[in-house]
Amino acid sequence: MQVYGGPFANSPPDHFPSNTSSSAGIFSTHIPYQILGETLNSSDCRVAYVARNPKDTLISLWHFATSMYLGQKREPQPLEDIVSKFCEGSVIFGPYFDHVLGYQKVSLERPKKFFFITYEELKSDPNIHVKRLAEFLGCPFVGEDTEEQVEEVVRSCSIETLKKHEVNNSSVVPSWTVVSNKSLFRKGLVGDHMNYLTKDMIERIDAITMHKFHGVNLWRENWM
C-alpha cells in the first residue's frame, strides 16, 4: 500500500528512496506465490517466507480485523464468522492453506532462492534460525563475537523490543491505512488460540489442516 498508493494513500511516503538502483532493498508483502511467482522467478531477489500455525494466524487476523472495524466505527465481526470464512478460504490475501503451500513447495524446489520457516521454529530457537537466514541472504555472521552479534539481532527483532519503539506504540492512524501501527503488535505468542477458540472450532480447523497438508511435513509437530 505504501509503495503503490492504494485506496488509503494520499501520496507516496517520503521515506522511500527515489533511487531504486540498490539491490539491498527489503520488500514486505502478504501476496501469495500464485500471484507473485512469475515476478519473483524472473528477478534476482531472495524470498524469506514465515508460516504460522493456522489457528494462531486466524486469531491474529481476527484481532487485526477488530481493530480495523473499530477504527471505522463499525461493529466487529464475531469470531464464529471469521472462523467460517477462514475455513472456506474467504479471507484477505486468499486461502491460508494455498498461500502456505505455494511458498512451501517452491522452497523445496529452489532452496537457494526461497527460505521457508515456521513462526514456531523461530520462537523455539531464534539464534539458530537467524544464523540460517543470514547465510541464506549471503551475509553470514563473522568474527570472534559472532554469538554476541546474533544475540543483538534476536533482541532487537523481538516483539518485546519492537513494541517499545515509539513508531510502533502509536495509536495514530497513518494516511495510507485504516489501522494504527500499535494494532500490528499484540502478543506474538505460540498457542494463543487456545484462549479464544472453542473445542469445535479447533477440531474443524485441525481437520482441514490434515486434509490440506496431507503428505506435507510441516504441520504435525508444530501445529496440532
Side-chain angles (χ1 to χ4, degrees):
M1 287 188 290
Q2 286 175 284
V3 174
Y4 296 110
F8 307 114
N10 297 323
S11 61
D14 55 15
H15 59 274
F16 278 104
S18 57
N19 182 3
T20 58
S21 62
S22 172
S23 61
I26 297 176
F27 189 88
S28 176
T29 181
H30 290 296
I31 298 176
Y33 177 76
Q34 290 84 342
I35 294 176
L36 201 58
E38 184 175 344
T39 298
L40 296 176
N41 294 334
S42 63
S43 74
D44 294 329
C45 71
R46 300 181 189 184
V47 180
Y49 182 88
V50 182
R52 193 179 186 185
N53 181 313
K55 291 165 287 192
D56 284 342
T57 299
L58 185 153
I59 292 302
S60 178
L61 174 63
W62 178 53
H63 280 286
F64 178 78
T66 297
S67 298
M68 183 173 64
Y69 284 124
L70 291 176
Q72 297 176 328
K73 297 182 179 180
R74 296 163 56 190
E75 189 68 24
Q77 285 184 296
L79 179 57
E80 294 79 4
D81 291 353
I82 294 289
V83 171
S84 294
K85 289 186 176 181
F86 186 88
C87 292
E88 294 166 359
S90 180
V91 291
I92 189 172
F93 303 115
Y96 164 87
F97 299 99
D98 293 343
H99 203 301
V100 172
L101 286 174
Y103 285 99
Q104 191 269 342
K105 289 180 178 179
V106 75
S107 72
L108 297 177
E109 299 168 356
R110 306 176 66 186
K112 292 184 178 180
K113 184 177 178 66
F114 293 87
F115 181 93
F116 183 97
I117 192 169
T118 67
Y119 184 74
E120 292 73 25
E121 288 175 315
L122 279 172
K123 291 285 285 187
S124 67
D125 198 336
N127 290 37
I128 289 293
H129 296 299
V130 163
K131 288 181 183 179
R132 288 181 56 219
L133 179 59
E135 292 173 359
F136 167 78
L137 294 174
C139 50
F141 293 95
V142 295
E144 297 181 356
D145 61 340
T146 294
E147 294 304 319
E148 287 80 2
Q149 294 179 48
V150 174
E151 287 285 353
E152 176 60 21
V153 170
V154 171
R155 185 198 65 79
S156 298
C157 295
S158 69
I159 191 169
E160 291 80 13
T161 299
L162 293 175
K163 288 174 69 173
K164 293 178 182 178
H165 292 317
E166 183 178 354
V167 66
N168 295 332
N169 200 35
S170 173
S171 298
V172 177
V173 178
S175 62
W176 55 270
T177 185
V178 293
V179 294
S180 66
N181 289 344
K182 188 175 183 178
S183 65
L184 302 177
F185 296 85
R186 200 172 61 86
K187 296 181 180 179
L189 300 178
V190 172
D192 190 44
H193 67 270
M194 295 293 293
N195 296 316
Y196 301 93
L197 298 176
T198 65
K199 180 182 178 182
D200 289 343
M201 291 175 178
I202 290 175
E203 290 178 349
R204 181 181 179 186
I205 297 169
D206 283 349
I208 296 175
T209 302
M210 292 176 66
H211 172 71
K212 293 288 188 178
F213 290 162
H214 178 70
V216 179
N217 185 26
L218 69 87
W219 59 270
R220 188 177 297 276
E221 182 177 350
N222 292 318
W223 293 351
M224 298 292 285

